[in-house]
Amino acid sequence: MFHNVDPPSCGSHALGINHKLRFSPKLVTRYFTQNLIRPFQIYRSASSDPYVNLSIEHHLLQSSPPDSTILFLYTNRPSIVIGRNQNPWLEVNLRLLRDGLPTSESQDKKQPIALVRRRSGGGTVFHDKGNTNYSVICPPAVFDRDRHAEMVARALRKLGVPHRTCGSRPGGGVRVNERHDIVVDILSPSGGMFKISGSAYKLTRTRALHHGTCLLSSPNLGSVSALLRSPAEGFIKARGVESVRSPIRNVNVGTEEFVDAVVDEFCDMYGVEDGGKEVLVIREEEALATEGINKGVRELTDPEWIFGQTPLFTFSTHPTEDDPRDRPPSLLAQLPHDFQGRITVRHGEIQSVYLSLSDDPFNMTDPSPLSQVLAKERLHHISDWRAVLSKAVSEAPLSDAFDVEQVGMWLNRMFGIPEPVEGQKERSLSEEVVRAIQESKLGMWLSK
Amino acid sequence: MASIARSLRLARLSAVSATIRAPAYRAVFIRPFSVTASNAIRKYTKEHEWIDISADKKTGVVGISEYAAKTLGDIVYVELPEEGLEVQAGDAIGAVESVKSAADIYSPVACKITQVNLLLEEKPGTVNQVPEDDSHGGGWIAKVQLTEQGLKDFEALMDADAYAEFTAAESDH
């Protein structure tokens, strides 16, 4: 396979994952071979790990018979999930992500947030325990982008949404909009259209997958907007897919009642009799003991997938022909006067770097001396731009020396590299992701 | 390409199949600016890829069909294979994203990827505009070198008439 679609399996040994997990085959096969032959199958994951749940889903997509239809429901711990062809430096405030979410227990204790790149298309979404995801895998012949969003919208209506969402204010109803998302309309003057569920799809030769979020009762909605706003937004011109920002809202429905209502609606839609209405619960240890799922987890947790799959992008401190926007003056003010810079990155790998105090660095000789030194460095492997620039400048002296310390700190901020702490080793984004996974429950499972 | 054509029930699907049945569709193959079209043989897969092979049957150009490109809707990103990649028929050699959907592209034959269309990285919409154009500026995905097996795979694919019939049947589905 090629590098930017399926992540290499080699990178994950850094996670300390033991790929040869010992498992009892009978547990596994009971779920995935006996049940997989049924025409309609309903699964619920007991895991709250986003990498595990997306890998169970991918395994169902790849292993189920072409004519079967599958409903899979899962709830993740706090995560930011970017689309297959998105840019984490553009979509996510990586420093805030690393800080985690506040907990009700104490100010100091924070809940970690996982950074995930999924295999389907579409934009960035936030997940936590107050958000439940539905996924329908079906034959391409019956697939339609709205079909299963409508199914979930019907379930929500039966649960009393939008009334429960809007309280005493007049609700205009639950509907699937032109972006195939589920929204509620609130008709009061302070109301408007609120997104409660976002859709994304993955199409293979024989199967079609539609999955969507549903915000039921997230306690973290106040944090989402800042988490999904990168400091580098005003400087990055990216290929691939940019998210469309929407105001969001909880529908105020419990997880269990949502799951039951969606299962009922799925069974009604496909004429599944009560006898066949069986929801199989998949436990994390069973999932991880299934080879296809274990492989999927290894791929999704590989930093080369999370960061290295990023489509070509250019970071530029000044307007260019390709990206003529005015740059944020407050951020530019933190740079030396007359400083200009442009960095091009393809699949996480630096292609060119122009940093200069001259009026027009973009007409400098090509490749620039810095490009010659820094090309092929991986952006997510950089742990401190100050060190990178000092080294590069010593190898390729610049005619117009700028303050490497000041520019380095600024680039660290823009690219979400953790603020260096005195006496601690700096960590790159790649190392941060690996550490976060190792410290999660998944890391403990995988290192067993 | 995935079975997307079958899968996406767009209102304009009937219009698409009408275009395909119309004789004007043939014009795609005799475009004067298509460098290899005059002496190339083009065949199609059920997954909606096309492949042209050169007169000496050693090299080819791969892309996704006009029918698939129309059915997918606005393509916003094309994931290209890596040059040098060796694949069997049916292996994924990339993916396209349109309307929140990631859809795989499959190799029509056993081959080695020798060149990818980097233009698509900057201008993915080219695949919507000229999906079956194998010239410079066209929406082709990759240039390939056929293996012996690749040539056998090629022989088994549909020619333009068979593919037009196949897509017509699919959209009547």
Side-chain angles (χ1 to χ4, degrees):
Chain A
M1 302 302 289
F2 47 105
H3 73 102
N4 58 340
V5 168
D6 277 285
S9 54
C10 57
S12 51
H13 59 76
L15 302 176
I17 293 174
N18 176 2
H19 299 319
K20 294 191 182 75
L21 283 171
R22 303 223 166 267
F23 60 88
S24 150
K26 70 175 195 294
L27 274 179
V28 179
T29 48
R30 196 177 67 210
Y31 283 99
F32 293 113
T33 53
Q34 288 178 15
N35 201 60
L36 274 173
I37 59 170
R38 294 162 52 155
F40 297 98
Q41 302 158 32
I42 307 169
Y43 298 92
R44 169 98 192 268
S45 174
S47 170
S48 63
D49 187 279
Y51 305 105
V52 173
N53 285 331
L54 284 171
S55 300
I56 295 171
E57 185 181 83
H58 188 63
H59 181 69
L60 292 170
L61 173 72
Q62 295 199 306
S63 317
S64 52
D67 51 355
S68 62
T69 304
I70 293 173
L71 173 68
F72 176 50
L73 294 143
Y74 55 99
T75 305
N76 289 330
R77 69 183 172 89
S79 323
I80 288 176
V81 185
I82 65 173
R84 181 185 186 99
N85 297 310
Q86 289 203 293
N87 182 327
W89 290 281
L90 174 61
E91 297 294 337
V92 185
N93 187 320
L94 294 164
R95 280 194 174 176
L96 277 184
L97 173 112
R98 181 176 165 276
D99 291 346
L101 287 166
T103 55
S104 49
E105 294 149 51
S106 81
Q107 290 238 308
D108 302 330
K109 199 164 177 289
K110 299 273 191 172
Q111 282 182 86
I113 309 170
L115 178 62
V116 185
R117 183 191 293 276
R118 61 175 187 267
R119 292 182 167 91
S120 60
T124 303
V125 287
F126 174 80
H127 291 191
D128 66 10
K129 66 176 188 217
N131 172 80
T132 288
N133 306 289
Y134 69 92
S135 167
V136 179
I137 300 165
C138 66
V142 296
F143 175 74
D144 162 300
R145 285 195 176 91
D146 285 337
R147 183 181 175 92
H148 297 109
E150 292 288 3
M151 172 187 88
V152 173
R154 283 197 299 277
L156 290 171
R157 279 183 214 117
K158 285 188 185 163
L159 289 168
V161 179
H163 180 72
R164 285 165 75 161
T165 313
C166 310
S168 57
R169 288 174 298 175
V174 178
R175 64 184 170 89
V176 177
N177 73 4
E178 67 293 343
R179 291 185 46 77
H180 317 287
D181 294 330
I182 307 175
V183 296
V184 291
D185 296 304
I186 295 177
L187 302 176
S188 65
S190 60
M193 184 178 94
F194 292 90
K195 177 171 163 179
I196 53 174
S197 163
S199 291
Y201 311 88
K202 172 92 178 87
L203 306 170
T204 70
R205 188 201 313 279
T206 50
R207 306 290 273 157
L209 178 147
H210 172 186
H211 57 186
T213 54
C214 193
L215 280 169
L216 302 176
S217 58
S218 166
N220 297 308
L221 292 193
S223 308
V224 176
S225 175
L227 277 166
L228 301 187
R229 197 174 283 282
S230 160
E233 202 173 18
F235 300 98
I236 289 179
K237 167 75 179 176
R239 308 293 166 196
V241 177
E242 282 193 37
S243 298
V244 175
R245 244 165 226 291
S246 317
I248 50 175
R249 183 165 281 243
N250 285 319
V251 291
N252 299 327
V253 166
T255 306
E256 293 315 309
E257 42 176 353
F258 175 74
V259 166
D260 289 348
V262 172
V263 168
D264 285 347
E265 212 51 53
F266 175 82
C267 291
D268 281 358
M269 188 171 167
Y270 289 105
V272 180
E273 303 286 324
D274 276 358
K277 210 185 247 188
E278 195 177 57
V279 180
L280 269 180
V281 175
I282 303 173
R283 289 189 302 163
E284 192 165 88
E285 53 269 45
E286 287 160 343
L288 287 170
T290 304
E291 201 188 338
I293 298 174
N294 200 281
K295 178 168 172 277
V297 170
R298 281 194 328 258
E299 290 168 353
L300 287 187
T301 51
D302 189 332
E304 299 314 314
W305 167 255
I306 299 171
F307 295 103
Q309 162 84 1
T310 304
L312 180 73
F313 73 98
T314 300
F315 176 96
S316 179
T317 58
H318 288 75
T320 62
E321 199 182 319
D322 201 29
D323 182 11
R325 295 173 298 167
D326 283 334
R327 300 305 197 254
S330 59
L331 291 172
L332 282 182
Q334 300 165 1
L335 282 168
H337 188 62
D338 284 342
F339 179 83
Q340 301 208 12
R342 189 184 62 190
I343 301 171
T344 304
V345 182
R346 184 170 186 267
H347 299 155
E349 194 175 274
I350 292 175
Q351 288 203 307
S352 67
V353 181
Y354 295 85
L355 303 173
S356 159
L357 290 177
S358 65
D359 292 342
D360 191 3
F362 304 151
N363 284 336
M364 281 168 38
T365 49
D366 195 19
S368 77
L370 280 177
S371 296
Q372 285 170 336
V373 180
L374 293 174
K376 306 272 175 217
E377 284 256 9
R378 292 187 162 265
L379 183 58
H380 49 288
H381 290 181
I382 291 176
S383 57
D384 189 348
W385 271 94
R386 293 174 303 175
V388 165
L389 292 180
S390 302
K391 185 166 170 281
V393 167
S394 70
E395 285 173 35
L398 298 171
S399 51
D400 54 345
F402 51 81
D403 185 341
V404 164
E405 179 78 15
Q406 186 183 6
V407 171
M409 285 295 265
W410 191 80
L411 289 173
N412 284 347
R413 257 197 306 282
M414 290 300 115
F415 291 122
I417 295 167
E419 187 88 53
V421 178
E422 198 69 42
Q424 266 182 31
K425 189 187 168 291
E426 296 90 4
R427 283 205 196 97
S428 67
L429 292 172
S430 176
E431 289 168 314
E432 276 296 326
V433 160
V434 170
R435 182 195 56 87
I437 293 164
Q438 277 172 342
E439 287 177 3
S440 72
K441 191 164 155 250
L442 174 67
M444 285 183 255
W445 264 113
L446 293 172
S447 61
K448 260 185 197 170
Chain B
M1 210 63 261
S3 320
I4 17 103
R6 225 179 313 139
S7 65
L8 305 179
R9 290 290 159 93
L10 295 188
R12 60 171 196 255
L13 204 56
S14 53
V16 174
S17 62
T19 317
I20 285 165
R21 289 193 202 105
Y25 180 67
R26 288 290 184 139
V28 171
F29 306 106
I30 50 164
R31 274 188 189 151
F33 51 81
S34 183
V35 278
T36 50
S38 54
N39 57 358
I41 319 159
R42 176 168 300 184
K43 289 201 176 192
Y44 294 83
T45 67
K46 285 182 179 168
E47 286 79 29
H48 307 285
E49 290 89 12
W50 55 263
I51 176 167
D52 280 349
I53 62 165
S54 58
D56 65 6
K57 299 187 174 179
K58 285 185 176 149
T59 61
V61 186
V62 175
I64 71 169
S65 75
E66 186 140 356
Y67 175 85
K70 279 191 175 146
T71 320
L72 277 168
D74 284 345
I75 292 170
V76 291
Y77 191 66
V78 181
E79 284 176 42
L80 297 164
E82 199 178 310
E83 285 174 13
L85 180 77
E86 290 176 31
V87 290
Q88 297 300 312
D91 287 353
I93 53 161
V96 293
E97 179 163 344
S98 62
V99 203
K100 303 185 185 185
S101 311
D104 291 334
I105 305 170
Y106 302 101
S107 181
V109 299
C111 62
K112 180 180 175 181
I113 309 289
T114 53
Q115 196 189 335
V116 296
N117 189 359
L118 286 174
L119 168 80
L120 303 182
E121 212 164 54
E122 301 271 331
K123 293 185 173 134
T126 309
V127 178
N128 289 115
Q129 291 149 16
V130 279
E132 300 203 15
D133 182 350
D134 64 1
S135 67
H136 181 74
W140 58 277
I141 306 283
K143 298 199 172 169
V144 303
Q145 200 166 41
L146 272 76
T147 60
E148 231 169 85
Q149 177 60 40
L151 194 58
K152 283 185 202 154
D153 297 335
F154 180 81
E155 299 301 335
L157 297 175
M158 288 178 279
D159 64 17
D161 288 338
Y163 179 67
E165 251 171 62
F166 172 73
T167 51
E170 241 191 12
S171 43
D172 290 341
H173 210 57

